[in-house]
Amino acid sequence: MFFNDLRNRVYQKDQQSGVRGGEAVYDYSRGVYVGAADERAMGQAAEVSASESMRQMGEPAVRSGYAGYSARAAGDYGRYSGPYPSESTFFAPTYVSDPFLGGRRNLKIGPVNVGFGLTSSVEYNDNITRSSTDPIDDVISTTLLSITANYQITRNNALTLNTTLGFDHYFNHPEVAPYGGDFVLNVLPGSSIAFDMKVGPVDFVIYDRMSVRPATQNDFALDPTEVFGVFQNDAGIAAQWAVNSDINLSLNFMRSDAISMEDEANIFDRQTNSIHGSLAWSPHQTWTLGVEGGASWVSYPEGFNNDGVLTNAGVFYSMPISRSTFVRVSAGVQSFDFDAPDQEDVAAGVSNGDGSNLSDYYYNVSLTNQFNARISQTLSFGHESALNTTSNYVTADFVSYGVGIIAWRGSRLSLSGYYEDSEESGGSSVEDLQQYGFDAYLSHQLNSRARLGFGYHYGDTSSSIIGRDYVQHAFNIDFTYALSRKLSMSLGYRFWTTDADDEGSEFDQSRAIMSMSYNFGP
């Protein structure tokens, strides 16, 4: 994802196929997908595509935090556990506050172009802690400010800022907030400031990327204490060199610091230094063949998890199969070498107790297709290993499929399914999971101002630990109305229920949400 964004930042559009990841832009006024959208520059405002449109306040996307969750993401603090999906670009926040304007807002302050979007919501939640016996209800307010700004200093030098930040306030029980306090700070992943410059034939990007949000210790559907707050800062420098018209070399060095905002979760604090590279060959500007690889040095200051060195090397190939179908395949090897845990620490319970290392293959395949003006679909599957939080790593086989269908003018039906078989590497609390599920979301544009949506999620998780099997159902309904070109209002209702083998882990939760979004600009 990073190197795709880096290439797009330099070239301003996808030079390989003209197909934007299979996510065609949907035109509500015409009731069809209007064709492939150009890739946007890294951090540039998004068009409202099949999945981007679900990033609005109160509209859950597929597998978006509160529903199904990937075990491979448990140790990735760059993923966001909340009512928004994980980032689809490295340098742009996950949240879009303007469903009707599609990012088209602009103020000019001297030489700086600035866009602002403000969203404020009030939520009633009847079971914040997801308790089966003693539910706690509360009223929660949320305010989010989206800021996009760019300053073109010279022809080749530019400074850009992209962020969505704000606060949650729990009126009656601030002690049960994800990381406590009267006002809970949220800075959504992808919030960043970046400086672009060109030195000879090489384009450089110097960046700092920050987020403050909830993260997960592991699968959190049964235990709310496994959600904790984390501050993460990613700082780095990336370079791309167009060696010639056919060959591009990209390099990135990044330092990442993840710090828990709760004392009891300090064992998950992590520092990572990484360097990765990609060499791509595209002789006809249609298909691309390349090699990729890198290394990361990971350390855990508290010593609960084991320090290690993670390396990977492989090849990738991408090409358009037709004008509307795009395939990307990558495969290679992964090697994880961790320090051995201290046996005294293991006996004292202050170590994860995992002495496993990894030498394995990885592969992933992604197929995207715009079948016609009314159907757009994506299929992904693969095998890979990733860092974990309660063990050294987790290895998973996975497959997911999603399709967007225009059933009638003004409508969009999004359907998806997923399956994941994951195995943790070891340790004192090792757990293997099999997860599968289904998501559906139907929205209809009632008129130029009003939109109505209905959603359903089903998830089934089987665990190797007795009593951890559970089934989830989630239902939601949303209504959005544009009061003016700049101001919109949303009303939403959520119901979430979990049926678990352990009756003490079962719960029901209802949420009612009202939000207002305002976009500044002419």
Side-chain angles (χ1 to χ4, degrees):
M1 182 178 68
F2 178 87
F3 288 120
N4 285 341
D5 280 355
L6 180 62
R7 283 188 286 269
N8 295 334
R9 191 178 188 95
V10 173
Y11 293 110
Q12 300 296 306
K13 65 178 181 178
D14 189 341
Q15 295 289 308
Q16 298 173 11
S17 67
V19 178
R20 188 185 183 276
E23 293 186 355
V25 173
Y26 177 63
D27 185 340
Y28 274 113
S29 63
R30 295 169 56 189
V32 297
Y33 289 107
V34 295
D38 289 338
E39 290 281 5
R40 64 182 181 270
M42 187 161 55
Q44 184 175 315
E47 292 290 336
V48 182
S49 66
S51 66
E52 296 284 355
S53 63
M54 286 190 176
R55 298 174 188 271
Q56 324 306 334
M57 172 62 73
E59 292 190 16
V62 174
R63 306 194 69 193
S64 59
Y66 81 93
Y69 194 75
S70 170
R72 291 173 293 129
D76 181 1
Y77 300 152
R79 304 295 286 270
Y80 185 67
S81 302
Y84 313 105
S86 58
E87 60 269 29
S88 62
T89 62
F90 189 81
F91 273 49
T94 58
Y95 175 66
V96 177
S97 65
D98 55 348
F100 293 92
L101 296 181
R104 298 185 296 274
R105 58 181 184 270
N106 185 60
L107 297 174
K108 194 169 182 66
I109 304 175
V112 182
N113 296 300
V114 186
F116 293 101
L118 180 66
T119 294
S120 182
S121 69
V122 178
E123 170 186 337
Y124 172 74
N125 189 319
D126 72 349
N127 189 1
I128 296 172
T129 59
R130 306 193 290 274
S131 172
S132 62
T133 57
D134 188 21
I136 297 175
D137 66 330
D138 206 344
V139 175
I140 307 163
S141 67
T142 298
T143 301
L144 291 172
L145 177 65
S146 299
I147 306 172
T148 62
N150 65 82
Y151 174 29
Q152 194 70 38
I153 303 171
T154 67
R155 179 179 179 181
N156 294 316
N157 297 338
L159 186 66
T160 58
L161 169 69
N162 290 273
T163 186
T164 299
L165 71 165
F167 293 93
D168 294 338
H169 175 59
Y170 288 63
F171 283 86
N172 301 318
H173 298 281
E175 72 278 2
V176 301
Y179 31 98
D182 289 335
F183 291 92
V184 179
L185 175 65
N186 290 303
V187 182
L188 298 194
S191 297
S192 60
I193 184 169
F195 177 68
D196 295 78
M197 63 180 179
K198 192 176 183 69
V199 179
V202 183
D203 292 275
F204 289 90
V205 183
I206 303 172
Y207 60 89
D208 190 87
R209 182 174 181 264
M210 186 185 74
S211 62
V212 181
R213 79 281 183 209
T216 59
Q217 172 183 334
N218 248 6
D219 179 84
F220 61 90
L222 301 181
D223 188 353
T225 63
E226 293 181 346
V227 180
F228 61 97
V230 64
F231 164 82
Q232 181 167 331
N233 191 79
D234 306 323
I237 180 171
Q240 176 169 291
W241 176 28
V243 181
N244 55 42
S245 60
D246 300 338
I247 300 175
N248 281 277
L249 174 65
S250 303
L251 295 171
N252 178 51
F253 172 78
M254 184 173 71
R255 163 65 182 261
S256 178
D257 293 272
I259 302 173
S260 167
M261 301 180 69
E262 302 171 75
D263 291 340
E264 59 269 26
N266 284 344
I267 58 175
F268 302 120
D269 290 359
R270 186 169 72 201
Q271 297 175 354
T272 306
N273 292 281
S274 61
I275 183 167
H276 287 83
S278 169
L279 181 64
W281 177 49
S282 184
H284 305 293
Q285 301 303 309
T286 53
W287 57 267
T288 299
L289 176 67
V291 294
E292 58 188 4
S296 297
W297 292 262
V298 183
S299 63
Y300 297 89
E302 298 297 318
F304 177 80
N305 287 322
N306 303 304
D307 298 348
V309 179
L310 288 64
T311 58
N312 70 283
V315 297
F316 63 90
Y317 181 73
S318 58
M319 67 171 294
I321 300 176
S322 66
R323 290 186 61 187
S324 59
T325 304
F326 185 78
V327 62
R328 189 185 193 279
V329 181
S330 62
V333 295
Q334 290 179 286
S335 177
F336 297 172
D337 185 14
F338 292 93
D339 295 346
D342 185 280
Q343 293 306 309
E344 293 184 0
D345 290 341
V346 174
V350 293
S351 169
N352 68 12
D354 188 3
S356 304
N357 293 315
L358 172 76
S359 181
D360 197 12
Y361 67 93
Y362 74 88
Y363 75 91
N364 57 72
V365 179
S366 178
L367 281 163
T368 57
N369 166 255
Q370 186 182 336
F371 185 73
N372 56 35
R374 293 179 175 269
I375 300 175
S376 181
Q377 54 190 338
T378 301
L379 172 68
S380 298
F381 58 92
H383 170 92
E384 67 182 27
S385 299
L387 280 175
N388 200 22
T389 49
T390 55
S391 64
N392 286 348
Y393 61 89
V394 58
T395 300
D397 294 280
F398 59 93
V399 59
S400 65
Y401 172 76
V403 57
I405 303 171
I406 308 308
W408 61 85
R409 181 173 178 176
S411 74
R412 177 168 51 224
L413 175 62
S414 298
L415 304 172
S416 69
Y418 64 91
Y419 172 80
E420 181 178 270
D421 185 0
S422 61
E423 297 182 0
E424 294 185 355
S425 54
S428 56
S429 59
V430 60
E431 181 178 23
D432 300 335
L433 296 172
Q434 288 186 334
Q435 298 175 286
Y436 65 90
F438 171 83
D439 292 83
Y441 190 84
L442 173 65
S443 65
H444 176 61
Q445 195 77 22
L446 302 174
N447 54 44
S448 61
R449 291 177 177 266
R451 186 168 72 214
L452 184 65
F454 303 89
Y456 170 71
H457 165 79
Y458 171 83
D460 189 299
T461 297
S462 298
S463 171
S464 60
I465 299 177
I466 297 175
R468 292 273 294 179
D469 294 358
Y470 63 91
V471 174
Q472 287 182 319
H473 300 272
F475 304 87
N476 64 282
I477 180 171
D478 302 284
F479 176 75
T480 303
Y481 186 80
L483 300 171
S484 69
R485 190 171 61 88
K486 299 179 182 181
L487 180 65
S488 63
M489 177 187 70
S490 295
L491 300 173
Y493 174 75
R494 312 277 179 270
F495 177 74
W496 180 22
T497 182
T498 295
D499 181 13
D501 282 0
D502 179 6
E503 293 184 358
S505 296
E506 296 182 344
F507 67 89
D508 294 334
Q509 183 190 78
S510 294
R511 301 165 58 207
I513 306 168
M514 181 180 71
S515 65
M516 302 287 288
S517 297
Y518 184 79
N519 293 281
F520 300 84

